[in-house]
Amino acid sequence: MKPLHFIYLLTVLGQSGFRGYRLLLALYALHLGASAFTVGLILALYSLMQAAAGWWVGLWTDRAGSVRPMLAGALLGGVGFAIPCLWHEVAALFVASAVVGVAYCMYHVAQTHAVGLLSTKDDRAKNLADLSLMFSVTNFAGPLLAGFTVDLAGDALAGVWFAAVSLISAAALLAGKGLLPAAKAADGKERPGLRELLKDRAMLKILLVGSLVFAAIDVFQFYMPVYANGLGISASVVGIIMACFPAAAFTSRICLRWFLKRSTPEAILSRSFLLAAAAFVAIPFFDSALLLAVLAFVYGFGLCVGQPITLILAYQNSADGHAGAVVGIREAVNQITRVAAPVLFGAIGTTAGLFPVFFVGGAILTWGALMLRTGKLEREGS
């Protein structure tokens, strides 16, 4: 098996559990009688722990390569998945959320860095785009795994299934660890600290643009159901509308390799932001379920190009031997955004109403597109 194909296999095995665990945590918390606010805190902790771990996990992968961080992530994830099975209280879900959040960061940052190390300058964008397609698969498989295991085994024992999948990925990793790359030697310069990294204006712009993508995704996933429910659309139809978003994400990532052959990452990202902004602003002008489904697909198609593109740009702008740290800080910034954006837009929706949320979101995406028109995002002096 080719090394890249092995990493893609590990992605599907290892990431499916991590991607579905947010749903499992929410379902179990509700089963234990937790309030919606408490569920929100549990899920926020999951993201905050990823943010807290991102920087040092990135540095670790630069020094040690990908095998040890991925193995640690898989084993720690297995422990975290099993905690609620042994301790049937809401407090256990907070502990599990924190443990699995750190484990996910280890696995995710290390495997992303591994794909970068196995790539050349010419094929790195294509390979990272293929990795993003695998992430789309796990975004579908993870919640599906959560739903079926809860129905089959119950909320408490569902974590055992997740732990089993995590241990299988650890076993596969050990069996094929020779296929994964070793750490790349640094370029002779001292490893940059966080302050030095954030002085790079191009990198700051990439991180900011990437955070806009995550903010826009989370705002859509909250406000589209609210808007559709207010129109009296049934829950099943709302579910179909929302399903158009991940379907579009998968489609856009299939097309991404074709896009990259015909344009620059910056140009693709700028156009995708404008497409998403137009779709988001148009939502409150329509009350047809069919048209809302079309807009959800268009929005997802435009917006979900942004995640792999900003990853490609971040990796290409990192110094030799320091790419893991860049991937790690990108993960941290994105997860902080996932916590902050719903709070910010929730305040806008509460004080000004639902319509301004769509216009503010569209304006922010348009601003992101305009930032990308100033020129190529390259490191100073590169």
Side-chain angles (χ1 to χ4, degrees):
M1 181 180 292
K2 294 182 179 179
L4 281 171
H5 293 165
F6 180 59
I7 293 178
Y8 298 152
L9 173 63
L10 290 176
T11 300
V12 175
L13 279 175
Q15 289 270 13
S16 293
F18 290 123
R19 297 294 174 114
Y21 201 56
R22 289 173 62 92
L23 176 58
L24 182 58
L25 284 172
L27 292 175
Y28 195 17
L30 293 171
H31 176 77
L32 291 174
S35 66
F37 178 72
T38 301
V39 174
L41 289 178
I42 292 170
L43 298 183
L45 180 61
Y46 188 70
S47 294
L48 285 174
M49 293 307 295
Q50 294 172 45
W55 171 248
W56 65 263
V57 168
L59 293 177
W60 184 19
T61 60
D62 279 332
R63 293 192 302 267
S66 299
V67 174
R68 279 186 282 172
M70 286 183 70
L71 182 60
L75 294 176
L76 187 62
V79 172
F81 293 146
I83 287 174
C85 308
L86 306 173
W87 180 14
H88 307 292
E89 296 181 14
V90 172
L93 301 183
F94 281 96
V95 176
S97 179
V99 172
V100 176
V102 174
Y104 169 80
C105 187
M106 291 177 178
Y107 202 92
H108 179 72
V109 171
Q111 72 172 42
T112 302
H113 189 31
V115 171
L117 290 176
L118 288 169
S119 306
T120 65
K121 183 178 179 181
D122 293 332
D123 66 7
R124 182 172 292 125
K126 175 185 71 65
N127 293 339
L128 289 172
D130 289 343
L131 179 65
S132 74
L133 186 60
M134 296 300 103
F135 290 154
S136 293
V137 172
T138 62
N139 283 336
F140 173 80
L144 197 65
L145 176 65
F148 275 101
T149 54
V150 167
D151 283 342
L152 289 172
D155 298 284
L157 292 179
V160 174
W161 292 72
F162 277 74
V165 172
S166 190
L167 293 177
I168 290 171
S169 70
L173 175 61
L174 286 173
K177 64 181 180 179
L179 295 172
L180 296 184
K184 185 176 181 180
D187 51 15
K189 299 178 182 178
E190 184 180 353
R191 295 186 185 276
L194 181 60
R195 183 176 301 177
E196 287 72 21
L197 177 64
L198 296 180
K199 286 181 180 179
D200 186 333
R201 296 182 65 181
M203 186 61 69
L204 273 176
K205 187 180 290 188
I206 293 168
L207 293 175
L208 176 59
V209 171
S211 70
L212 293 182
V213 175
F214 271 78
I217 290 173
D218 279 5
V219 169
F220 172 83
Q221 289 177 340
F222 179 77
Y223 277 102
M224 175 61 98
V226 172
Y227 176 69
N229 182 71
L231 295 174
I233 297 173
S234 68
S236 59
V237 176
V238 172
I240 293 172
I241 293 172
M242 297 304 295
C244 290
F245 184 90
F250 186 79
T251 305
S252 69
R253 290 175 182 181
I254 290 177
C255 298
L256 184 55
R257 184 187 292 191
W258 185 85
F259 292 154
L260 288 168
K261 290 179 180 179
R262 288 158 177 79
S263 189
T264 64
E266 297 89 340
I268 297 169
L269 189 55
S270 178
R271 293 163 190 163
S272 71
F273 267 36
L274 291 175
L275 179 64
F280 199 57
V281 170
I283 287 173
F285 293 100
F286 296 94
D287 57 9
S288 162
L290 177 60
L291 291 177
L292 290 177
V294 171
L295 289 174
F297 187 91
V298 172
Y299 186 75
F301 189 92
L303 194 61
C304 290
V305 171
Q307 289 172 301
I309 289 289
T310 54
L311 174 59
I312 291 166
L313 290 172
Y315 207 103
Q316 289 180 341
N317 280 269
S318 62
D320 288 343
H322 307 136
V326 170
V327 174
I329 193 60
R330 174 184 176 272
E331 180 68 15
V333 171
N334 289 344
Q335 295 304 326
I336 291 172
T337 302
R338 294 198 72 171
V339 176
V343 175
L344 173 62
F345 279 87
I348 294 173
T350 300
T351 57
L354 198 58
F355 272 49
V357 169
F358 293 101
F359 292 112
V360 171
I364 291 175
L365 288 171
T366 302
W367 173 57
L370 294 176
M371 277 201 304
L372 292 162
R373 295 183 62 187
T374 58
K376 290 185 177 181
L377 297 176
E378 296 177 347
R379 271 188 297 124
E380 294 180 5
S382 62

